Amino acid sequence: MKATQIIPVLRIFDYQKTIEFYVDWLGFEVVWEHYFEKNTPVYMEVKKENMVFHLSEHHGDGTPGTRVMVFGEGIPAYHKELIDKKYKYNRPGLEKTFYGTVSFTVNDPFGNTITFNEEFDEEKHKDLEFSSIH
C-alpha cells in the first residue's frame, strides 16, 4: 500500500475563531465548506501549499487536543512570518528538538496543536536563535 495523501480531521467549535487562526494567522485558504442544511455544523477543508486539514464542528469528528506533526522545508521563514503578524494568542518559540529538527508548535483555539518541523542542518541553521523553553 502506498498512501497518496493523509488528511487529519481536527475538531473546531467556532467558525470565526477558526478563520482568524487558520486563515488570517496561519495563512491557509478555505477550499470548501459543507453544511447539511442551514444552521448546522460546518465541515471544511483548508489548505496551505500541500498541507491539507479538514476542520469539523460535528460531534464525533476528531477529538479536541489532537496533535499534528508537519515536516517540510522553510520552517524558520514561516515561523518569522507568523511572529511578525503579532497574533494575540500565539507567539511560538523556535526550537531545536531532541529528534533533530528545527521546530515550532502552535495551539489552535480548540486545544489542537500543530508542530512544524524541518530537518536540522548545522550549516543552514547556524544563525538561528532558539527558544530555551521546553
Side-chain angles (χ1 to χ4, degrees):
M1 188 225 140
K2 178 182 176 183
T4 58
Q5 187 174 29
I6 298 169
I7 302 174
V9 178
L10 301 176
R11 183 73 192 276
I12 59 171
F13 299 101
D14 181 294
Y15 182 85
Q16 289 307 102
K17 287 190 178 297
T18 298
I19 297 303
E20 178 184 327
F21 182 82
Y22 285 96
V23 176
D24 299 341
W25 188 50
L26 291 183
F28 282 71
E29 65 177 289
V30 175
V31 178
W32 51 260
E33 297 178 357
H34 177 264
Y35 300 86
F36 282 105
E37 57 187 58
K38 191 174 184 175
N39 198 33
T40 61
V42 67
Y43 188 97
M44 66 170 61
E45 180 175 287
V46 295
K47 178 180 181 177
K48 179 173 177 61
E49 298 175 15
N50 66 345
M51 285 184 290
V52 176
F53 296 146
H54 283 189
L55 307 174
S56 178
E57 288 180 318
H58 292 271
H59 178 75
D61 279 356
T63 303
T66 297
R67 173 179 285 272
V68 176
M69 302 286 282
V70 174
F71 289 82
E73 297 178 4
I75 297 303
Y78 185 43
H79 175 262
K80 181 180 180 339
E81 174 187 325
L82 296 181
I83 292 299
D84 288 349
K85 289 183 180 180
K86 299 189 184 314
Y87 180 56
K88 182 177 181 177
Y89 302 107
N90 267 246
R91 304 266 173 95
L94 193 62
E95 300 180 57
K96 181 180 174 190
T97 68
F98 69 90
Y99 52 91
T101 68
V102 172
S103 172
F104 70 94
T105 298
V106 298
N107 303 291
D108 83 2
F110 319 106
N112 302 302
T113 59
I114 306 167
T115 301
F116 296 93
N117 297 276
E118 177 176 329
E119 185 176 335
F120 180 76
D121 179 287
E122 191 71 46
E123 182 60 29
K124 181 179 179 181
H125 299 121
K126 67 182 178 194
D127 296 328
L128 293 178
E129 292 184 31
F130 296 108
S131 170
S132 60
I133 299 172
H134 296 285

